[in-house]
């Protein structure tokens, strides 16, 4: 018996598994409705609980790893400084990287946006007669819509990362930048593989499922015409780049075919090889809570008899670099730590964001691509600052989320209902007397109105929780007047200053 045939002992009789939630995607030109999509995800309670548990487990493992390194905070500060320095001299380091890469025998291309990236790679493939490409996971290529473009021109793309392959077979985008199918349960993967690969639908043993995928994909890898990777870091002083994986699939993509194309965002530059000693120590610990990835692969030149191309992609990064409030988002090393700690992401799932980037990172990146379409996303945050606290390069994520709210409001990108509600709230909160009247009115309503008048479609807060009970002894202001002000001399403006 091969290791990948169904194991009867592992095939258990189970109740019908909960259907996988599939939050609706916004149509082209429409605003993403995160709240509605999150509600659709939460309507599958087993998936919602599993997602929260698994994502939070990565956060707690990250904390344990961080606590094993005495100089952890110094590493974060040093990483932030290296990124700040590199971005301040990005033009210089990009030219240095290009010159050294060319000296190593690599063809270097520049792409202003995703469309140009796809066109350049397509031309390379056409020149070499490529029909099938094996590809490592790359958020940049997701950002460029690369796989869909290649589908449209008849070139087959085979994802080699297990998680990304699962999402490809299911026709879904990644829901997490490190763990693409983290919203799925094993029963979902068993169903999918049975439909796509012919495996046993009742066997959701992880080893069996991984083996089924490996058996189906390895022949495609060995028969591919070209391989593609992204890059975690690009080193200016060598013209090389580094890819970190846990499956070794980037090495397969780069070395099995003779043609290797690497797509690299221009913000991935670091000046020196020795800088890797800082970022490699931070990356996997922040992402998965593991000391290091299974493979840390350094590419510097084509393999013997092969050909290597690098496409350096801007796609809005230069514009973001000029944004005073938001430029530091370019420091991001795509670890996903901010997603793992975010209470909104953990409970709503990544697909509810309807964008390439989910979670806190997505809230500050997606509006730079399309402010109107993603104008709801910066409001999908509690602004608790936990994302900032775990960021390995110290990006002030929660402050940028708040900053995007201001920018989107000033530029008229908010829905009428949100704009009206925020305008009314602003007027009430700006007036102490008006605020006190509103609080007393609300407390009276909570005491006397029937339940149906309080819990209905107009009260989104009450859909998943009870409203707070109004205090019996009045508001905090009433208490303050009774206990703190009764013996104090009143000033002429005292009533309006509290």
């Amino acid at each position: 018996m091969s290791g990948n045939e169904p194991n009867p002992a592992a095939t258990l009789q189970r109740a019908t598994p909960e259907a996988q939630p599939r939050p609706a995607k916004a149509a082209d030109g429409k605003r993403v409705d995160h709240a509605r999509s999150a509600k659709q995800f939460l309507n599958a309670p087993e998936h919602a609980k599993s997602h929260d548990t698994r994502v939070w487990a990565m956060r707690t493992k990250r904390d344990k790893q961080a606590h094993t390194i005495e100089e952890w905070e110094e590493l974060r500060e040093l990483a932030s400084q290296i990124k700040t320095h590199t971005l301040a001299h990005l033009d210089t380091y990009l030219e240095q990287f290009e010159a050294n890469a060319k000296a190593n025998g690599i063809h270097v291309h520049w792409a202003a946006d995703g469309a140009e990236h796809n066109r350049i790679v397509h031309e390379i493939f056409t020149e070499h007669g490529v029909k099938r490409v094996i590809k490592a996971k790359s958020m940049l290529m997701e950002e460029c819509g690369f796989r869909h473009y290649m589908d449209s021109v008849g070139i087959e793309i085979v994802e080699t990362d297990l998680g990304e392959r699962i999402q490809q077979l299911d026709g879904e985008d990644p829901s997490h930048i490190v763990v693409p199918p983290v919203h799925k349960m094993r029963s979902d993967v068993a169903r999918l593989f049975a439909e796509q690969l012919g495996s046993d639908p009742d066997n959701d043993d992880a080893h069996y499922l991984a083996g089924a995928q490996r058996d189906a994909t390895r022949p495609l890898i060995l028969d591919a015409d070209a391989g593609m990777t992204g890059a975690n870091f690009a080193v200016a002083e060598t013209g090389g780049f580094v890819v970190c994986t846990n499956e070794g699939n980037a090495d397969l993509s780069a070395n099995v075919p003779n043609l290797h194309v690497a797509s690299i965002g221009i913000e991935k530059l670091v000046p020196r090889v020795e800088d890797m000693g800082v970022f490699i120590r931070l990356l996997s610990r922040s992402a998965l809570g593991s000391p290091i990835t299974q493979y840390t692969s350094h590419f510097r030149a084509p393999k013997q008899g092969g050909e290597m191309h690098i496409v350096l992609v801007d796609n809005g990064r230069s514009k973001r670099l000029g944004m005073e409030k938001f430029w530091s988002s370019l420091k991001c090393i795509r670890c996903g730590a901010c997603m793992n700690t975010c209470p909104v992401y953990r409970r709503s799932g990544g697909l509810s964001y309807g964008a390439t980037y989910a979670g806190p990172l997505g809230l500050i990146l997606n509006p730079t691509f399309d402010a109107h379409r993603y104008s709801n996303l910066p409001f999908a945050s509690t602004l608790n600052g936990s994302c900032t606290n775990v960021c390995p390069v110290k990006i002030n994520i929660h402050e940028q989320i708040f900053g995007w709210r201001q920018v989107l409001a000033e530029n008229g990108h908010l829905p009428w209902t949100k704009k009206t509600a925020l305008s009314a709230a602003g007027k009430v909160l700006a007036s102490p007397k008006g605020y006190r009247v509103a609080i007393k009115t609300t407390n009276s309503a909570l005491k006397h109105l029937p339940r149906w008048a309080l819990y209905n479609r107009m009260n989104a807060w009450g859909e998943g929780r009870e409203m707070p009970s109004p205090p019996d002894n009045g508001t905090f202001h009433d208490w303050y007047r009774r206990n703190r002000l009764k013996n104090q001399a009143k000033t002429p403006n005292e009533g309006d200053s509290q």
Side-chain angles (χ1 to χ4, degrees):
M1 175 183 293
S2 79
N4 298 323
E5 292 180 353
N7 179 358
T11 306
L12 304 177
Q13 294 296 323
R14 299 181 177 88
T16 301
E18 181 182 76
Q20 179 184 329
R22 297 185 184 276
K25 292 187 68 172
D28 290 343
K30 298 294 183 181
R31 185 184 280 115
V32 170
D33 189 343
H34 175 267
R36 184 186 64 172
S37 297
K39 186 176 180 181
Q40 292 170 340
F41 182 74
L42 291 169
N43 283 338
E46 292 179 21
H47 283 77
K49 182 179 180 182
S50 170
H51 183 268
D52 188 10
T53 301
R54 295 163 71 186
V55 173
W56 183 246
M58 290 190 281
R59 159 64 204 268
T60 55
K61 289 178 181 176
R62 173 264 178 204
D63 290 350
K64 290 179 181 177
Q65 285 295 325
H67 293 156
T68 64
I69 298 180
E70 186 177 348
E71 66 275 21
W72 180 258
E73 290 304 317
E74 286 77 9
L75 280 175
R76 290 180 68 213
E77 180 60 32
L78 186 54
S80 179
Q81 291 177 6
I82 293 171
K83 280 291 187 179
T84 298
H85 167 80
T86 310
L87 291 168
H89 303 86
L90 188 58
D91 53 345
T92 301
Y93 286 121
L94 282 169
E95 291 177 356
Q96 183 184 5
F97 176 81
E98 180 188 32
N100 288 328
K102 286 181 174 178
N104 295 337
I106 304 173
H107 302 272
V108 179
H109 311 262
W110 297 82
D113 53 27
E116 187 171 11
H117 164 268
N118 296 341
R119 180 183 59 76
I120 290 171
V121 178
H122 186 201
E123 288 176 355
I124 296 170
F125 288 165
T126 301
E127 183 180 338
H128 291 77
V130 171
K131 296 298 182 185
R132 176 182 292 155
V133 180
I134 52 174
K135 171 183 166 296
K137 186 163 66 65
S138 161
M139 292 309 296
L140 173 63
M141 284 186 258
E142 293 287 339
E143 189 182 305
C144 296
F146 174 75
R147 201 168 64 214
H148 300 296
Y149 175 88
M150 287 296 152
D151 285 343
S152 71
V153 296
I155 294 178
E156 181 186 6
I157 302 296
V158 179
E159 297 286 352
T160 55
D161 174 270
L162 173 59
E164 194 71 10
R165 182 64 172 165
I166 290 171
Q167 291 304 95
Q168 181 185 23
L169 291 174
D170 207 15
E172 283 190 327
D173 296 328
S175 70
H176 190 288
I177 60 176
V178 177
V179 195
V182 70
H183 61 294
K184 282 182 165 68
M185 300 177 70
R186 287 187 301 173
S187 57
D188 302 322
V189 180
R191 171 200 54 77
L192 175 68
F193 281 9
E195 294 172 358
Q196 299 288 333
L197 308 179
S199 57
D200 181 357
D202 296 321
N203 192 342
D204 63 2
D205 177 74
H207 298 284
Y208 168 71
L209 294 172
Q213 197 281 146
R214 183 169 56 246
D215 288 347
T217 305
R218 279 296 167 96
L220 304 178
I221 293 175
L222 297 175
D223 194 38
D225 303 309
M228 290 199 69
T229 68
N232 293 91
F233 307 98
V235 183
E237 72 173 0
T238 66
F241 56 96
V242 178
V243 185
C244 303
T245 70
N246 282 308
E247 301 170 34
N249 57 300
D251 299 77
L252 289 174
S253 300
N255 292 304
V256 174
N258 283 329
L259 177 61
H260 176 196
V261 180
S263 301
I264 304 175
I266 59 174
E267 85 284 12
K268 295 296 180 71
L269 265 288
V270 294
R272 303 159 301 180
V273 172
E274 67 185 65
D275 296 328
M276 289 295 90
V278 175
F279 290 104
I280 295 299
R281 295 183 77 190
L282 288 168
L283 179 61
S284 192
R285 286 182 170 90
S286 299
L288 300 171
S290 58
I292 195 169
T293 49
Q294 299 296 318
Y295 298 85
T296 301
S297 305
H298 295 250
F299 300 101
R300 190 177 294 186
K303 72 173 189 177
Q304 189 172 8
E307 184 173 317
M308 181 185 287
H309 294 254
I310 289 175
V311 186
L312 293 167
V313 185
D314 188 312
N315 203 34
R317 286 159 174 77
S318 294
K319 179 182 177 183
R320 200 182 310 152
L321 189 58
M323 295 178 170
E324 183 178 355
K325 289 184 179 179
F326 308 117
W327 70 269
S328 65
S329 63
L330 291 165
K331 294 181 180 180
C332 178
I333 59 173
R334 304 293 194 268
C335 68
C338 60
M339 307 167 77
N340 300 342
T341 197
C342 175
V344 177
Y345 173 82
R346 283 163 37 209
R347 289 164 176 82
S348 63
L351 296 182
S352 66
Y353 292 78
T356 299
Y357 299 102
L361 173 64
L363 306 190
I364 61 176
L365 292 187
N366 294 315
T368 66
F369 298 119
D370 189 333
H372 176 74
R373 182 173 178 81
Y374 301 116
S375 56
N376 272 328
L377 293 188
F379 294 88
S381 170
T382 64
L383 296 180
N384 63 19
S386 183
C387 47
T388 299
N389 290 338
V390 300
C391 177
V393 287
K394 292 191 151 185
I395 301 173
N396 59 335
I397 300 174
H398 73 293
E399 293 175 349
Q400 292 194 33
I401 293 171
F402 181 70
W404 269 113
R405 293 182 183 182
Q406 293 177 305
V407 169
L408 293 169
E410 290 168 359
N411 293 330
H413 287 297
L414 300 188
W416 179 84
T417 51
K418 188 182 293 293
K419 186 164 55 179
T420 303
L422 290 176
S423 176
K427 290 177 181 177
V428 171
L429 294 174
S431 166
K433 288 183 179 178
Y435 175 75
R436 289 196 287 272
V437 170
I439 290 296
K440 286 184 178 293
T441 303
T442 302
N443 285 345
S444 177
L446 289 173
K447 283 183 178 178
H448 301 295
L449 288 179
R451 186 174 180 83
W452 62 264
L454 296 173
Y455 295 89
N456 52 51
R457 295 178 59 186
M458 300 294 291
N459 180 12
W461 174 272
E463 291 182 4
R465 58 182 77 81
E466 289 292 311
M467 301 290 287
S469 300
D472 294 330
N473 297 322
T475 65
F476 172 77
H477 184 257
D478 295 332
W479 177 91
Y480 194 83
R481 292 184 63 181
R482 289 195 301 270
N483 295 280
R484 292 290 185 271
L485 295 182
K486 62 182 180 182
N487 295 325
Q488 296 180 16
K490 291 188 176 181
T491 62
N493 298 321
E494 186 179 45
D496 287 336
S497 63
Q498 297 161 19

